[in-house]
Amino acid sequence: MSNKTIHWNGGLQPEAVNILSADGGMIVCPTKVGYIIMTSDAKGLERKFDAKQRNRNKPGVVLCGSLAQLKELAQLNPEIESLYQQHWDQDVLLGCILPWKEEAVARIPEDGSKELMMDRRQTSCFVIKFGVPGENLAKELWENHGKFSFASSANPSGKGNRGLVEGIGERIESQADLIIEANDYVKSIQPNESEKTRYEQGVMVAMVDEQGKLVPEQKGERNITPCPVLIRKGLDVDKIMSMLSDTFTTWDYRHGNYY
């Protein structure tokens, strides 16, 4: 691997903070399910799209290092908030498609970030408990540098990285400013799975209707629609479906139903 690759120090990686707190930084960071590209502004997002040679129609993934940050950025209702709290308490990776709070949108730099981190419905996927290396970074960047953390899988489009830093591909490797390697950490999350059987992604649940408006509260009543939709299965999907069922009487399973 290149000399820009360092082994994760087990805590907050200062080299990564330096890069992402500056303009246009782009790093590769380990998560529970594999490696991601992490950026913190529009210039970094542009570099990410270029490195991945990707089209731009997917909702941006916003990494939240704390529930306080999530609540500042995303529109929630009490049921969605309680679902996130359960996942937080049990250290389970969860990403929900949610609308932004208006006051949070006002904090997004006027540098083109908005167009790159939301879909056409003005929603993003807000993720918690995605793995200690990135959680530490997202928390530090938000609380001490006022910067967002955006994520995208670090793999050549259409190919998984198999949870190995060696799998991120030459293009991403050559374009990243820093690569944090922690193959051992990634492996420890799904220790008994092979490259064939391991989950390469986290579960995603859409909490919005087709216009991007938040689903209504259900308050224990039946057949309330629109309802939450599990649109991508992934790590801990069984636990997540169980928690969804505890909170919501009605929810849908539609894997692959992105846009």
Side-chain angles (χ1 to χ4, degrees):
M1 292 301 286
S2 64
N3 57 5
K4 63 174 84 161
T5 302
I6 57 177
H7 184 69
W8 178 43
N9 65 9
L12 177 65
Q13 200 79 44
E15 301 91 333
V17 176
N18 293 341
I19 289 165
L20 292 174
S21 59
D23 264 6
M26 178 173 96
I27 70 160
V28 171
C29 180
T31 70
K32 289 178 176 176
V33 284
Y35 287 85
I36 56 168
I37 295 174
M38 212 167 149
T39 58
S40 61
D41 56 24
K43 206 186 289 182
L45 286 165
E46 289 284 3
R47 290 180 62 196
K48 182 257 303 195
F49 282 111
D50 182 49
K52 286 186 69 161
Q53 299 176 293
R54 258 327 249 284
N55 57 11
R56 301 160 173 242
N57 61 343
K58 293 205 166 188
V61 172
V62 180
L63 302 175
C64 297
S66 67
L67 287 179
Q69 181 185 3
L70 170 76
K71 290 171 193 174
E72 276 187 70
L73 299 182
Q75 291 179 39
L76 304 164
N77 66 32
E79 290 169 356
I80 297 169
E81 199 173 308
S82 113
L83 185 76
Y84 268 106
Q85 184 72 55
Q86 273 181 287
H87 285 72
W88 187 273
D89 294 343
Q90 294 185 39
D91 191 21
V92 175
L93 167 64
L94 177 70
C96 295
I97 309 279
L98 295 164
W100 283 72
K101 281 189 165 165
E102 271 178 45
E103 54 272 37
V105 173
R107 294 184 64 161
I108 300 168
E110 294 286 336
D111 60 1
S113 293
K114 207 177 294 184
E115 291 68 35
L116 297 176
M117 56 191 249
M118 300 181 189
D119 62 5
R120 54 185 169 69
R121 302 176 304 185
Q122 305 265 287
T123 64
S124 295
C125 181
F126 293 86
V127 183
I128 60 161
K129 291 294 179 183
F130 40 93
V132 179
E135 287 172 45
N136 288 347
L137 280 174
K139 190 168 167 49
E140 170 70 16
L141 287 165
W142 179 250
E143 291 177 4
N144 295 321
H145 301 273
K147 293 200 82 162
F148 296 97
S149 294
F150 305 123
S152 189
S153 55
N155 35 25
S157 233
K159 296 189 175 78
N161 59 46
R162 306 182 307 284
L164 299 169
V165 77
E166 295 80 6
I168 65 176
E170 282 176 23
R171 190 178 171 92
I172 290 172
E173 187 185 329
S174 68
Q175 296 197 18
D177 300 323
L178 177 76
I179 297 166
I180 302 172
E181 177 277 318
N183 287 350
D184 51 351
Y185 173 78
V186 180
K187 175 84 179 143
S188 74
I189 305 294
Q190 301 181 75
N192 305 318
E193 304 303 328
S194 69
E195 280 184 19
K196 293 270 192 299
T197 63
R198 67 182 297 279
Y199 277 117
E200 299 250 302
Q201 56 194 20
V203 170
M204 215 182 257
V205 181
M207 292 292 186
V208 293
D209 65 15
E210 285 178 8
Q211 282 70 51
K213 297 271 183 291
L214 215 52
V215 297
E217 270 193 89
Q218 297 184 358
K219 299 182 178 166
E221 303 210 7
R222 293 183 210 172
N223 298 324
I224 303 285
T225 55
C227 62
V229 183
L230 197 153
I231 57 174
R232 191 173 79 181
K233 69 175 182 176
L235 182 69
D236 284 334
V237 65
D238 301 350
K239 288 183 189 170
I240 291 168
M241 291 198 293
S242 169
M243 287 191 259
L244 267 170
S245 304
D246 288 343
T247 309
F248 298 95
T249 313
T250 304
W251 56 272
D252 275 350
Y253 179 89
R254 298 189 186 186
H255 176 73
N257 185 40
Y258 291 139
Y259 319 105

